[in-house]
Amino acid sequence: MKFIKRLLIFAIICILLGVGTIFGFYVYLKPELPDVATLKDVELQTPMQVYSADGKLISQFGEKRRIPVTYNDIPKDLIDALIATEDSRFYDHPGIDPIGITRAAIVVAMSGSAKQGASTITQQLARNFFLSNEKKIMRKIKEIFIAIHIEQLLTKQEIMELYVNKIFLGYRSYGFGAAARVYFGKDLKDLTLSELATLAGMPKAPSTMNPIYSVERATHRRNVVLKRMLDESYITRSEYEQARNEPIVSRYHGAEIELKAPYMAEMARAWAVEQYGEDVYESGMKVYTTLDSRLQNAAEKAAINNLLSYDERHGYRGAVATLWKDGAEPWDAEKIAKHLKQQPTYGELNPAVVIKVDGKTAEVELQNGETATLPWDGMKWARRYRTDTRQGTAPKQTADILAAGEQIWVRKVDDAWQLSQVPDANTAMVAMSPENGAIKALVGGFNFVHSKFNRATQSVRQVGSAIKPFIYSAALDQGVTLATLINDAPINKWDSSQGTAWRPKNSPPTYIGPTRARIGLATSKNVMAVRVLRKVGLDETIDFLTRFGFKHEELPRSETLALGAGSLTPMQVAQGFSVFANGGYYLKPYFISKVEDPFGKLVYTAHPQTICRENCDDKASKLNSDNLMEEENLLDETAAMENEPEFAPQVISEQNAFLTREMMEANIWGGGDWRQGTGWNGTGWRAQKPLNRRDIGGKTGTTNDSKDAWYSGFAPGLVATVWVGFDDHSRELGKTSRNANLDNAQISGAEAGAKTAQPAWIDFMVDALVDVPEQRKMVPSDIVKVRIDRDTGLLTRKNDASSMFEYFERGSEPTDYVSSAASSGNIYESEGEELF
């Protein structure tokens, strides 16, 4: 009895010492323990996502990929699998499992190593939220105390929900919702029992037991989970056998990007960080841009295909690399596949290796391991590149172009593979609404992976003849009309300080003498633009151009301004053309429409400027000013729109905008009647047939030595600008000679706005306007239409091929009639008219 009594006393003392020790540890660690009450209001770190205006996912930003699910959305098989594998007494213990701890301790004592885990789901949750994974006794003790606190604060369902959403499962996926997407490309609710068991087995070692890293390890671990579920009677024997025999099919699934707009995604990311700080990456915010997914797809396709066409007509620059030479041992399929996996892809361009050349075909191995055939039609463009102005002779067979062992680029066109290459030149396109400034489509370059420089907003380039509509608008403001005669004749301006003469030339260098202003802009006559500038005055023209948002420092104080020596971004050019399209109003462009929190609550909405055309209040009248503050950074402009909406200032009259549009419509449609010998074409005539509508207009732009090519134009509800050029400002776009293999499909001659940039604008507008009905011409008040003589611009009573109707602002129409002596040079009946 004494022995039993002593043993009992010893046990009580041990218990007291144990409890005291635990209490002492608790008192000692209490100041260091986190406030687990924060779990009540925990915000799971989810990535920021960027969408188009119509809800297409463009990109997501954030290190942690997470798709939160509620407890009711967690599949029962997953809960059963986790409990069976990680914590079989989850519903019975108070946060720690004494039985599990005792069993683990016995295993350690017998084997000398920790082969048996003892952490409950609650302890794992405590470690994931509040502690590190360091293997120290003090960390384990803290984990125990925190787990007990959690159990006192939360229900078992709340604990399970947090665990399912928090646990790391490899490949940047946090939580089972994200893991289901990453490993299987499915929503959690759509996974099979086998797939759920695979994920449930991963918390033990997510980096090495996932099915991407090792299918064998993942399969073994899945089977362990299924066996535990069977032993715990969560599944039947038949369910166990069926799931165990199911092969694991898994690959990495990135975010399901629905719309290709990487340059806009980067703009949205920078804007969000500017507004909300670096924490935005884990905020779960949904940032909606102003992009229209249909227009963005059309812009991306048009701009890139046009750039590749430009690049290919200048010749083939050869293989990326030669993996083995003729006569050497060819690489086997495994070695080729390993090499190709290390190569990047650029949009539609895929790396490939030539494995066989035969007559007019070639066999290549693709990055996905497949073999494809390149037909002759996909290679015959590939004359050798010599320089930007010279190409080699047309190839006659595949051996003239390719050799086995070469690594090349290929792309798919109309379901057939064809040879391609990464272009040396680059491009940009911006499309915006002239009614509110919303950016509807944006292409910042050939490929974001290849170059992250956004040429649409950051590349400041000379605009060439694209500046001329603004020059002519300034002249209209000073009384010039569409019928005013301007002398299309050579200019010689002597510079005494330099001892040289400035001689601007037309392109081509032909001159037709006195010509109406409408024709001068539509046909892009350089010398006429210079004379228009002189008519207005250089300083006056520069001041007028700032109405469109252009900065003084971007506009050279010389007459070369009329030829496009000023430098602007494609975004600025599109913004300027919007003034003509909307009737004279300057609108700040914006690209963020709204921002929502993870639960759909609106946290930001844009208030773009609006156009007030009638019954405007005092605020509108105050904003109607000829002068604007210099344009701020586009990010700042967008951020400022959170304030009260404001009316857009009217910077030119509705009549001025209408008349300038008339000249730009003539850039496409020309004028006169070819059958009567009075017809002429503008530089944008290539848009006539594919678009075949009269409510469009635009202007070509080509700089000296063809270093930059532009086309900007408008259509109902849309303005678009395209630029093509080299990032290297010293390099010219060059010229091409005819390729006999292509039956004139590749146009020969010098590169210029109409040939190099306008095709992208046309292709974009063909898609953009497919469901947009043609609009009737809306003539503003105070615009009159009178019959004039084509040659003189004066009034005429004749109704024949020599006459036409022209628009004028009321009061500016001619008052004199053409005389019968016009042919002898005395074209005016009254005195005082002066040709400039």
Side-chain angles (χ1 to χ4, degrees):
M1 291 294 295
K2 287 184 178 181
F3 174 76
I4 295 175
K5 184 178 180 180
R6 288 174 181 173
L7 185 61
L8 183 59
I9 292 172
F10 178 75
I12 292 172
I13 292 173
C14 288
I15 291 172
L16 291 173
L17 285 174
V19 171
T21 301
I22 292 173
F23 182 75
F25 269 121
Y26 177 75
V27 172
Y28 174 73
L29 294 174
K30 186 176 180 180
E32 300 179 24
L33 296 179
D35 181 10
V36 297
T38 57
L39 291 178
K40 278 285 189 180
D41 302 308
V42 67
E43 292 185 6
L44 295 171
Q45 297 168 320
T46 56
M48 178 188 77
Q49 295 179 314
V50 180
Y51 292 88
S52 64
D54 48 345
K56 303 291 186 183
L57 181 63
I58 296 174
S59 186
Q60 68 177 21
F61 297 93
E63 288 298 318
K64 297 179 179 180
R65 197 173 165 190
R66 182 180 276 115
I67 304 174
V69 293
T70 64
Y71 181 82
N72 292 332
D73 292 331
I74 304 172
K76 184 177 182 301
D77 283 340
L78 177 60
I79 294 175
D80 294 342
L82 291 173
I83 291 175
T85 309
E86 299 291 330
D87 190 356
S88 60
R89 281 171 291 278
F90 173 70
Y91 289 111
D92 302 319
H93 62 65
I96 59 173
D97 184 4
I99 296 175
I101 293 174
T102 302
R103 185 176 63 244
I106 292 172
V107 170
V108 171
M110 294 181 63
S111 65
S113 61
K115 295 181 179 181
Q116 182 71 50
S119 291
T120 64
I121 285 177
T122 314
Q123 286 176 266
Q124 292 181 50
L125 185 66
R127 182 167 64 248
N128 273 279
F129 266 103
F130 301 114
L131 301 170
S132 67
N133 287 319
E134 59 181 351
K135 298 182 180 298
K136 292 184 179 180
I137 186 65
M138 293 304 291
R139 194 272 297 165
K140 193 68 176 178
I141 293 172
K142 288 180 183 179
E143 179 185 296
I144 291 171
F145 289 144
I146 294 171
I148 294 172
H149 271 259
I150 290 174
E151 291 278 351
Q152 293 170 347
L153 182 70
L154 304 178
T155 67
K156 292 290 185 178
Q157 288 186 349
E158 290 172 329
I159 292 170
M160 179 61 73
E161 181 180 307
L162 282 172
Y163 179 80
V164 166
N165 285 315
K166 178 69 176 178
I167 194 74
F168 175 64
L169 293 169
Y171 284 91
R172 293 172 53 192
S173 61
Y174 288 77
F176 286 86
R181 277 283 172 194
V182 167
Y183 294 105
F184 300 110
K186 301 179 183 179
D187 291 332
L188 189 60
K189 62 182 177 62
D190 296 327
L191 296 186
T192 65
L193 173 60
S194 169
E195 291 167 339
L196 289 170
T198 301
L199 297 184
M202 286 166 50
K204 182 178 181 180
S207 297
T208 58
M209 289 186 174
N210 71 72
I212 296 177
Y213 179 84
S214 173
V215 174
E216 292 181 356
R217 291 185 182 183
T219 302
H220 174 74
R221 181 61 178 165
R222 178 204 63 183
N223 294 343
V224 170
V225 173
L226 291 171
K227 185 63 169 62
R228 288 291 301 149
M229 294 180 74
L230 178 65
D231 293 344
E232 296 290 332
S233 301
Y234 288 122
I235 57 175
T236 65
R237 171 63 66 174
S238 62
E239 289 174 325
Y240 167 77
E241 294 293 344
Q242 181 180 351
R244 194 176 189 280
N245 292 328
E246 182 180 309
I248 297 177
V249 179
S250 175
R251 64 178 178 82
Y252 179 77
H253 296 78
E256 291 191 8
I257 303 303
E258 300 173 281
L259 179 64
K260 185 178 180 182
Y263 291 95
M264 175 59 78
E266 172 57 21
M267 290 168 63
R269 181 205 65 79
W271 179 89
V273 171
E274 178 74 18
Q275 296 300 301
Y276 304 109
E278 296 288 337
D279 291 343
V280 75
Y281 294 130
E282 298 176 345
S283 67
M285 284 186 174
K286 292 179 172 60
V287 180
Y288 288 84
T289 68
T290 57
L291 289 188
D292 180 303
S293 62
R294 186 178 69 86
L295 297 181
Q296 177 63 27
N297 283 329
E300 187 79 27
K301 176 184 175 183
I304 301 310
N305 285 346
N306 178 65
L307 180 64
L308 290 172
S309 293
Y310 161 82
D311 190 68
E312 290 174 3
R313 65 175 170 260
H314 282 261
Y316 181 55
R317 292 183 294 277
V320 178
T322 301
L323 306 185
W324 70 86
K325 294 184 178 181
D326 186 31
E329 181 71 22
W331 287 13
D332 59 30
E334 183 178 353
K335 190 173 183 181
I336 293 174
K338 183 178 180 181
H339 173 79
L340 287 175
K341 282 184 179 180
Q342 298 173 348
Q343 307 307 311
T345 59
Y346 297 130
E348 297 179 357
L349 265 60
N350 293 273
V353 173
V354 181
I355 55 179
K356 184 180 180 182
V357 171
D358 184 16
K360 290 192 173 184
T361 63
E363 286 188 17
V364 298
E365 185 168 327
L366 305 174
Q367 197 174 39
N368 61 7
E370 295 180 2
T371 300
T373 299
L374 299 184
W376 180 242
D377 282 347
M379 295 184 287
K380 62 184 181 181
W381 63 267
R383 299 179 291 175
R384 285 293 168 184
Y385 168 85
R386 303 300 185 197
T387 68
D388 291 327
T389 58
R390 290 180 57 245
Q391 301 83 42
T393 58
K396 297 180 179 179
Q397 58 183 350
T398 304
D400 296 336
I401 307 168
L402 302 174
E406 291 182 337
Q407 180 194 327
I408 60 174
W409 294 102
V410 296
R411 64 181 176 123
K412 213 164 193 179
V413 179
D414 297 330
D415 295 325
W417 288 100
Q418 77 169 43
L419 176 67
S420 193
Q421 60 189 355
V422 176
D424 277 357
N426 228 300
T427 190
M429 179 185 284
V430 178
M432 63 184 291
S433 166
E435 297 303 312
N436 62 10
I439 304 303
K440 295 295 186 180
L442 185 141
V443 179
F446 164 66
N447 184 271
F448 188 75
V449 175
H450 186 255
S451 171
K452 294 176 173 56
F453 181 61
N454 189 340
R455 294 154 191 85
T457 61
Q458 297 174 310
S459 184
V460 180
R461 305 294 295 234
Q462 287 192 352
V463 296
S465 294
I467 201 69
K468 289 176 183 174
F470 306 100
I471 305 294
Y472 276 79
S473 176
L476 292 173
D477 195 60
Q478 296 296 315
V480 171
T481 73
L482 304 193
T484 298
L485 293 183
I486 305 165
N487 197 12
D488 180 26
I491 291 175
N492 289 278
K493 181 181 179 181
W494 181 256
D495 185 341
S496 57
S497 63
Q498 299 291 328
T500 59
W502 181 52
R503 297 186 178 93
K505 297 179 180 179
N506 288 340
S507 180
T510 58
Y511 307 87
I512 58 177
T515 306
R516 285 177 284 118
R518 176 190 280 268
I519 299 174
L521 177 59
T523 59
S524 200
K525 295 285 189 176
N526 287 337
V527 294
M528 292 177 66
V530 174
R531 287 191 164 92
V532 168
L533 174 67
R534 289 178 175 177
K535 172 72 173 178
V536 178
L538 180 57
D539 291 335
E540 291 79 4
T541 300
I542 291 174
D543 288 341
F544 187 87
L545 264 56
T546 61
R547 300 185 188 191
F548 299 89
F550 307 152
K551 301 177 182 178
H552 274 93
E553 60 267 27
E554 294 169 342
L555 305 172
R557 196 178 177 281
S558 74
E559 291 183 345
T560 58
L561 174 64
L563 308 182
S567 297
L568 303 167
T569 66
M571 179 73 78
Q572 289 174 303
V573 174
Q575 182 180 8
F577 271 75
S578 291
V579 176
F580 299 126
N582 65 31
Y585 296 86
Y586 173 88
L587 284 158
K588 300 173 184 176
Y590 75 105
F591 59 93
I592 302 296
S593 62
K594 65 178 181 179
V595 179
E596 294 178 351
D597 70 10
F599 307 101
K601 181 182 178 182
L602 195 65
V603 297
Y604 167 87
T605 185
H607 296 286
Q609 293 173 304
T610 55
I611 293 176
C612 180
R613 291 190 168 91
E614 57 184 19
N615 300 322
C616 303
D617 59 18
D618 292 340
K619 185 175 182 181
S621 62
K622 291 177 183 177
L623 289 170
N624 285 341
S625 169
D626 286 345
N627 296 310
L628 295 172
M629 296 296 291
E630 289 188 347
E631 183 183 2
E632 299 296 329
N633 181 278
L634 185 58
L635 295 180
D636 296 333
E637 294 282 16
T638 301
M641 288 181 183
E642 192 171 8
N643 300 324
E644 214 175 298
E646 63 176 18
F647 290 115
Q650 187 169 12
V651 294
I652 62 174
S653 70
E654 184 182 7
Q655 293 74 22
N656 186 309
F658 172 81
L659 295 172
T660 307
R661 287 200 307 273
E662 279 293 304
M663 290 187 280
M664 288 195 284
E665 288 174 12
N667 177 259
I668 291 176
W669 288 104
D673 188 340
W674 284 102
R675 293 167 297 181
Q676 299 294 329
T678 61
W680 52 272
N681 260 330
T683 57
W685 61 267
R686 289 173 175 84
Q688 292 176 8
K689 186 175 180 179
L691 290 171
N692 192 28
R693 53 193 296 160
R694 293 278 181 165
D695 55 356
I696 57 174
K699 184 65 188 73
T700 51
T702 310
T703 60
N704 280 349
D705 302 320
S706 295
K707 292 181 179 178
D708 300 272
W710 298 79
Y711 196 82
S712 295
F714 57 85
L718 202 60
V719 166
T721 291
V722 177
W723 168 85
V724 178
F726 289 96
D727 291 334
D728 178 358
H729 287 235
S730 66
R731 194 166 171 184
E732 301 172 13
L733 288 167
K735 61 182 179 180
T736 56
S737 57
R738 180 179 174 274
N739 186 346
N741 280 344
L742 298 179
D743 299 324
N744 286 324
Q746 297 282 34
I747 303 170
S748 60
E751 300 290 347
K755 174 184 175 181
T756 315
Q758 192 190 21
W761 187 89
I762 293 171
D763 290 345
F764 169 71
M765 285 297 181
V766 166
D767 288 339
L769 302 177
V770 66
D771 294 321
V772 180
E774 185 171 350
Q775 291 187 356
R776 293 180 57 190
K777 189 185 297 292
M778 301 298 292
V779 181
S781 61
D782 290 328
I783 290 289
V784 295
K785 193 175 185 180
V786 300
R787 186 183 293 277
I788 65 168
D789 175 68
R790 294 180 183 276
D791 294 328
T792 66
L794 297 178
L795 297 175
T796 182
R797 296 183 178 89
K798 294 183 179 180
N799 182 13
D800 57 21
S802 66
S803 69
M804 61 171 285
F805 282 102
E806 185 58 279
Y807 291 103
F808 296 87
E809 187 167 1
R810 190 181 301 278
S812 68
E813 67 271 24
T815 57
D816 299 319
Y817 283 85
V818 64
S819 72
S820 59
S823 59
S824 64
N826 181 21
I827 61 176
Y828 299 106
E829 289 185 344
S830 65
E831 300 296 328
E833 289 281 6
E834 182 180 349
L835 182 71
F836 68 92

